Amino acid sequence: MSIPVILASASPRRRELLTLVGIPHEVRPADIDETLFPGESPVGHSERLARGKAHAIAARAGDAVVIAADTIVVVDGDILGKPVDTADAVAMLRRLSGRTHRVHTGVAMCRAGRMVHDVVTSMVSFTPLADTTIEWYVGTGEPLDKAGGYAIQGAGGAFVQTVRGSVSSIVGLPLHTVVRLAADLGCRFAAVG
C-alpha cells in the first residue's frame, strides 16, 4: 500500500503487530479524555475511545489512513484498566484467577474524512493463580501498563487456559479487522490484503 499509515497509539504492542504483518506506519499518539461516561457500556466505551483517537489524529493526517484502537478487559461488568500500582495489579489478577473474562478492542480507521469502526470481543479463561504466582508476576513489572494487569503475549500468557476469539485483538489490535476496515475505506495492504 503506497498510502501512508498513521497509528494513533503509543502502544509498542500495536506497533509490533503492524510491523509483523508488513504494514509500514508512522506513530502519532492521540491524547484524549478516556473517562467512562455514566451508563456507558464497556463495548460502547471501547468503540467511543477508538473513534475519538482516530478523529483527533485524522484532522491533520492529509490522505493518510489513521488506525486507532482501545482495548479493555471486563469481568463482572467492571472495566479493568491499567493498574494504578502493584496492589491494584494484584487485586486485578485475583479477580481474573480461575475465571473467564471478556476483552473488547475497539478499532477505528479514518481516511479523507471517512471513518469506519468496529469492536472485537474475545473471551479469555485463566487458570487458578496462587498468591505466590501473582506476587511473582507483579514483581516482573509486566502487568503495570497492561489493561487487566496482564500481557497475553508475555509471561502472563502462562495463565491463559483458553481463548475464544482474536489473539491479536487481546494483544491490542485485531489485524483481521484492520484489513477488513481498510478495504471498506478502499485501501489494501499489500502484505496481508
Side-chain angles (χ1 to χ4, degrees):
M1 172 182 215
S2 59
I3 297 167
V5 174
I6 298 171
L7 176 62
S9 173
S11 165
R13 293 158 296 282
R14 292 186 181 116
R15 289 193 310 256
E16 289 166 8
L17 286 167
L18 287 179
T19 300
L20 183 69
V21 294
I23 299 174
H25 58 281
E26 174 187 342
V27 173
R28 288 192 210 165
D31 184 22
I32 66 167
D33 181 0
E34 298 192 17
T35 304
L36 180 68
F37 289 168
E40 187 174 38
S41 72
V43 169
H45 181 67
S46 178
E47 182 179 39
R48 178 179 59 82
L49 293 183
R51 287 191 334 256
K53 292 173 184 179
H55 181 73
I57 300 302
R60 53 190 191 282
D63 192 41
V65 174
V66 176
I67 302 172
D70 189 78
T71 302
I72 59 173
V73 172
V74 179
V75 64
D76 299 327
D78 296 332
I79 296 173
L80 303 184
K82 294 177 182 176
V84 296
D85 56 25
T86 56
D88 194 28
V90 168
M92 286 183 186
L93 290 162
R94 283 185 178 144
R95 281 189 79 181
L96 298 175
S97 175
R99 303 185 60 201
T100 299
H101 61 275
R102 286 177 162 70
V103 179
H104 303 293
T105 298
V107 180
M109 295 175 63
C110 292
R111 181 174 179 225
R114 186 163 169 244
M115 181 183 292
V116 292
H117 52 86
D118 200 356
V119 176
V120 176
T121 300
S122 301
M123 305 292 286
V124 180
S125 297
F126 262 36
T127 187
L129 303 176
D131 282 347
T132 53
T133 301
I134 291 172
E135 289 167 17
W136 166 80
Y137 183 54
V138 171
T140 69
E142 184 177 273
L144 297 179
D145 70 338
K146 312 289 188 300
Y150 75 96
I152 194 170
Q153 74 281 8
F159 310 145
V160 176
Q161 281 184 322
T162 61
V163 171
R164 283 181 302 181
S166 167
V167 173
S168 66
S169 181
I170 297 165
V171 174
L173 191 64
L175 294 173
H176 62 286
T177 302
V178 168
V179 170
R180 178 176 52 79
L181 293 176
D184 291 348
L185 289 174
C187 304
R188 208 178 128 169
F189 298 116
V192 292

PDB file of all heavy atoms in Angstrom, residues 47-67:
ATOM      1  N   GLU A  47     -15.407   1.452  21.841  1.00  0.00           N
ATOM      2  CA  GLU A  47     -15.646   1.984  20.497  1.00  0.00           C
ATOM      3  C   GLU A  47     -15.513   3.507  20.475  1.00  0.00           C
ATOM      4  O   GLU A  47     -14.888   4.074  19.578  1.00  0.00           O
ATOM      5  CB  GLU A  47     -17.028   1.565  20.018  1.00  0.00           C
ATOM      6  CG  GLU A  47     -17.336   2.036  18.614  1.00  0.00           C
ATOM      7  CD  GLU A  47     -18.710   1.578  18.159  1.00  0.00           C
ATOM      8  OE1 GLU A  47     -19.657   1.594  18.985  1.00  0.00           O
ATOM      9  OE2 GLU A  47     -18.823   1.215  16.993  1.00  0.00           O
ATOM     10  N   ARG A  48     -16.085   4.183  21.470  1.00  0.00           N
ATOM     11  CA  ARG A  48     -16.013   5.649  21.515  1.00  0.00           C
ATOM     12  C   ARG A  48     -14.568   6.125  21.620  1.00  0.00           C
ATOM     13  O   ARG A  48     -14.170   7.090  20.952  1.00  0.00           O
ATOM     14  CB  ARG A  48     -16.829   6.182  22.696  1.00  0.00           C
ATOM     15  CG  ARG A  48     -16.749   7.718  22.828  1.00  0.00           C
ATOM     16  CD  ARG A  48     -17.576   8.235  23.982  1.00  0.00           C
ATOM     17  NE  ARG A  48     -17.204   7.711  25.272  1.00  0.00           N
ATOM     18  CZ  ARG A  48     -16.205   8.178  26.026  1.00  0.00           C
ATOM     19  NH1 ARG A  48     -15.445   9.175  25.596  1.00  0.00           N
ATOM     20  NH2 ARG A  48     -15.955   7.646  27.209  1.00  0.00           N
ATOM     21  N   LEU A  49     -13.771   5.460  22.458  1.00  0.00           N
ATOM     22  CA  LEU A  49     -12.381   5.873  22.606  1.00  0.00           C
ATOM     23  C   LEU A  49     -11.590   5.658  21.319  1.00  0.00           C
ATOM     24  O   LEU A  49     -10.790   6.516  20.934  1.00  0.00           O
ATOM     25  CB  LEU A  49     -11.720   5.143  23.770  1.00  0.00           C
ATOM     26  CG  LEU A  49     -12.264   5.488  25.158  1.00  0.00           C
ATOM     27  CD1 LEU A  49     -11.477   4.755  26.230  1.00  0.00           C
ATOM     28  CD2 LEU A  49     -12.266   6.984  25.420  1.00  0.00           C
ATOM     29  N   ALA A  50     -11.812   4.547  20.644  1.00  0.00           N
ATOM     30  CA  ALA A  50     -11.121   4.310  19.373  1.00  0.00           C
ATOM     31  C   ALA A  50     -11.506   5.384  18.351  1.00  0.00           C
ATOM     32  O   ALA A  50     -10.640   5.941  17.657  1.00  0.00           O
ATOM     33  CB  ALA A  50     -11.447   2.919  18.837  1.00  0.00           C
ATOM     34  N   ARG A  51     -12.798   5.697  18.257  1.00  0.00           N
ATOM     35  CA  ARG A  51     -13.243   6.735  17.324  1.00  0.00           C
ATOM     36  C   ARG A  51     -12.654   8.102  17.690  1.00  0.00           C
ATOM     37  O   ARG A  51     -12.219   8.855  16.824  1.00  0.00           O
ATOM     38  CB  ARG A  51     -14.774   6.825  17.309  1.00  0.00           C
ATOM     39  CG  ARG A  51     -15.438   5.663  16.601  1.00  0.00           C
ATOM     40  CD  ARG A  51     -16.933   5.881  16.342  1.00  0.00           C
ATOM     41  NE  ARG A  51     -17.584   6.797  17.265  1.00  0.00           N
ATOM     42  CZ  ARG A  51     -18.393   6.443  18.270  1.00  0.00           C
ATOM     43  NH1 ARG A  51     -18.670   5.180  18.490  1.00  0.00           N
ATOM     44  NH2 ARG A  51     -18.942   7.359  19.040  1.00  0.00           N
ATOM     45  N   GLY A  52     -12.629   8.401  18.991  1.00  0.00           N
ATOM     46  CA  GLY A  52     -12.077   9.680  19.434  1.00  0.00           C
ATOM     47  C   GLY A  52     -10.601   9.819  19.111  1.00  0.00           C
ATOM     48  O   GLY A  52     -10.142  10.881  18.680  1.00  0.00           O
ATOM     49  N   LYS A  53      -9.843   8.758  19.306  1.00  0.00           N
ATOM     50  CA  LYS A  53      -8.414   8.780  18.987  1.00  0.00           C
ATOM     51  C   LYS A  53      -8.191   8.965  17.486  1.00  0.00           C
ATOM     52  O   LYS A  53      -7.328   9.749  17.063  1.00  0.00           O
ATOM     53  CB  LYS A  53      -7.745   7.492  19.465  1.00  0.00           C
ATOM     54  CG  LYS A  53      -7.687   7.346  20.984  1.00  0.00           C
ATOM     55  CD  LYS A  53      -7.169   5.967  21.383  1.00  0.00           C
ATOM     56  CE  LYS A  53      -7.201   5.759  22.874  1.00  0.00           C
ATOM     57  NZ  LYS A  53      -6.714   4.415  23.256  1.00  0.00           N
ATOM     58  N   ALA A  54      -8.957   8.223  16.680  1.00  0.00           N
ATOM     59  CA  ALA A  54      -8.813   8.343  15.226  1.00  0.00           C
ATOM     60  C   ALA A  54      -9.161   9.749  14.772  1.00  0.00           C
ATOM     61  O   ALA A  54      -8.446  10.354  13.957  1.00  0.00           O
ATOM     62  CB  ALA A  54      -9.700   7.313  14.522  1.00  0.00           C
ATOM     63  N   HIS A  55     -10.249  10.283  15.286  1.00  0.00           N
ATOM     64  CA  HIS A  55     -10.693  11.626  14.903  1.00  0.00           C
ATOM     65  C   HIS A  55      -9.652  12.684  15.280  1.00  0.00           C
ATOM     66  O   HIS A  55      -9.381  13.610  14.511  1.00  0.00           O
ATOM     67  CB  HIS A  55     -12.043  11.930  15.562  1.00  0.00           C
ATOM     68  CG  HIS A  55     -12.583  13.272  15.211  1.00  0.00           C
ATOM     69  ND1 HIS A  55     -13.099  13.554  13.964  1.00  0.00           N
ATOM     70  CD2 HIS A  55     -12.669  14.415  15.933  1.00  0.00           C
ATOM     71  CE1 HIS A  55     -13.489  14.815  13.943  1.00  0.00           C
ATOM     72  NE2 HIS A  55     -13.238  15.356  15.118  1.00  0.00           N
ATOM     73  N   ALA A  56      -9.047  12.538  16.462  1.00  0.00           N
ATOM     74  CA  ALA A  56      -8.063  13.511  16.930  1.00  0.00           C
ATOM     75  C   ALA A  56      -6.854  13.598  16.001  1.00  0.00           C
ATOM     76  O   ALA A  56      -6.298  14.679  15.794  1.00  0.00           O
ATOM     77  CB  ALA A  56      -7.605  13.150  18.341  1.00  0.00           C
ATOM     78  N   ILE A  57      -6.459  12.495  15.422  1.00  0.00           N
ATOM     79  CA  ILE A  57      -5.285  12.476  14.542  1.00  0.00           C
ATOM     80  C   ILE A  57      -5.672  12.744  13.085  1.00  0.00           C
ATOM     81  O   ILE A  57      -4.939  13.394  12.341  1.00  0.00           O
ATOM     82  CB  ILE A  57      -4.534  11.132  14.668  1.00  0.00           C
ATOM     83  CG1 ILE A  57      -4.056  10.923  16.111  1.00  0.00           C
ATOM     84  CG2 ILE A  57      -3.365  11.052  13.694  1.00  0.00           C
ATOM     85  CD1 ILE A  57      -3.148  12.011  16.658  1.00  0.00           C
ATOM     86  N   ALA A  58      -6.842  12.284  12.674  1.00  0.00           N
ATOM     87  CA  ALA A  58      -7.258  12.412  11.268  1.00  0.00           C
ATOM     88  C   ALA A  58      -7.349  13.862  10.810  1.00  0.00           C
ATOM     89  O   ALA A  58      -7.123  14.154   9.622  1.00  0.00           O
ATOM     90  CB  ALA A  58      -8.596  11.717  11.051  1.00  0.00           C
ATOM     91  N   ALA A  59      -7.644  14.780  11.718  1.00  0.00           N
ATOM     92  CA  ALA A  59      -7.801  16.190  11.352  1.00  0.00           C
ATOM     93  C   ALA A  59      -6.540  16.760  10.701  1.00  0.00           C
ATOM     94  O   ALA A  59      -6.627  17.690   9.895  1.00  0.00           O
ATOM     95  CB  ALA A  59      -8.169  17.008  12.588  1.00  0.00           C
ATOM     96  N   ARG A  60      -5.387  16.180  11.018  1.00  0.00           N
ATOM     97  CA  ARG A  60      -4.135  16.673  10.429  1.00  0.00           C
ATOM     98  C   ARG A  60      -3.331  15.543   9.780  1.00  0.00           C
ATOM     99  O   ARG A  60      -2.110  15.533   9.817  1.00  0.00           O
ATOM    100  CB  ARG A  60      -3.322  17.416  11.485  1.00  0.00           C
ATOM    101  CG  ARG A  60      -3.077  16.671  12.746  1.00  0.00           C
ATOM    102  CD  ARG A  60      -2.485  17.556  13.837  1.00  0.00           C
ATOM    103  NE  ARG A  60      -2.029  16.768  14.943  1.00  0.00           N
ATOM    104  CZ  ARG A  60      -2.818  16.246  15.888  1.00  0.00           C
ATOM    105  NH1 ARG A  60      -4.112  16.434  15.851  1.00  0.00           N
ATOM    106  NH2 ARG A  60      -2.297  15.533  16.870  1.00  0.00           N
ATOM    107  N   ALA A  61      -4.052  14.608   9.171  1.00  0.00           N
ATOM    108  CA  ALA A  61      -3.387  13.434   8.590  1.00  0.00           C
ATOM    109  C   ALA A  61      -3.329  13.460   7.067  1.00  0.00           C
ATOM    110  O   ALA A  61      -2.780  12.543   6.464  1.00  0.00           O
ATOM    111  CB  ALA A  61      -4.097  12.167   9.049  1.00  0.00           C
ATOM    112  N   GLY A  62      -3.917  14.460   6.436  1.00  0.00           N
ATOM    113  CA  GLY A  62      -3.901  14.509   4.976  1.00  0.00           C
ATOM    114  C   GLY A  62      -4.598  13.301   4.385  1.00  0.00           C
ATOM    115  O   GLY A  62      -5.699  12.946   4.805  1.00  0.00           O
ATOM    116  N   ASP A  63      -3.945  12.635   3.437  1.00  0.00           N
ATOM    117  CA  ASP A  63      -4.532  11.468   2.763  1.00  0.00           C
ATOM    118  C   ASP A  63      -4.183  10.150   3.456  1.00  0.00           C
ATOM    119  O   ASP A  63      -4.512   9.075   2.976  1.00  0.00           O
ATOM    120  CB  ASP A  63      -4.059  11.426   1.300  1.00  0.00           C
ATOM    121  CG  ASP A  63      -4.840  10.416   0.469  1.00  0.00           C
ATOM    122  OD1 ASP A  63      -6.079  10.346   0.644  1.00  0.00           O
ATOM    123  OD2 ASP A  63      -4.218   9.678  -0.316  1.00  0.00           O
ATOM    124  N   ALA A  64      -3.507  10.228   4.589  1.00  0.00           N
ATOM    125  CA  ALA A  64      -3.079   9.011   5.290  1.00  0.00           C
ATOM    126  C   ALA A  64      -4.272   8.252   5.864  1.00  0.00           C
ATOM    127  O   ALA A  64      -5.322   8.829   6.144  1.00  0.00           O
ATOM    128  CB  ALA A  64      -2.113   9.367   6.414  1.00  0.00           C
ATOM    129  N   VAL A  65      -4.071   6.957   6.037  1.00  0.00           N
ATOM    130  CA  VAL A  65      -5.026   6.129   6.758  1.00  0.00           C
ATOM    131  C   VAL A  65      -4.624   6.184   8.234  1.00  0.00           C
ATOM    132  O   VAL A  65      -3.467   5.923   8.576  1.00  0.00           O
ATOM    133  CB  VAL A  65      -4.989   4.666   6.271  1.00  0.00           C
ATOM    134  CG1 VAL A  65      -5.881   3.786   7.135  1.00  0.00           C
ATOM    135  CG2 VAL A  65      -5.390   4.575   4.812  1.00  0.00           C
ATOM    136  N   VAL A  66      -5.572   6.549   9.084  1.00  0.00           N
ATOM    137  CA  VAL A  66      -5.321   6.607  10.525  1.00  0.00           C
ATOM    138  C   VAL A  66      -5.948   5.377  11.174  1.00  0.00           C
ATOM    139  O   VAL A  66      -7.117   5.069  10.935  1.00  0.00           O
ATOM    140  CB  VAL A  66      -5.915   7.892  11.147  1.00  0.00           C
ATOM    141  CG1 VAL A  66      -5.731   7.877  12.663  1.00  0.00           C
ATOM    142  CG2 VAL A  66      -5.278   9.123  10.528  1.00  0.00           C
ATOM    143  N   ILE A  67      -5.160   4.675  11.971  1.00  0.00           N
ATOM    144  CA  ILE A  67      -5.635   3.498  12.696  1.00  0.00           C
ATOM    145  C   ILE A  67      -5.565   3.810  14.187  1.00  0.00           C
ATOM    146  O   ILE A  67      -4.513   4.201  14.699  1.00  0.00           O
ATOM    147  CB  ILE A  67      -4.768   2.258  12.397  1.00  0.00           C
ATOM    148  CG1 ILE A  67      -4.745   1.943  10.907  1.00  0.00           C
ATOM    149  CG2 ILE A  67      -5.260   1.057  13.205  1.00  0.00           C
ATOM    150  CD1 ILE A  67      -3.753   0.852  10.523  1.00  0.00           C
TER     151      ILE A  67
END
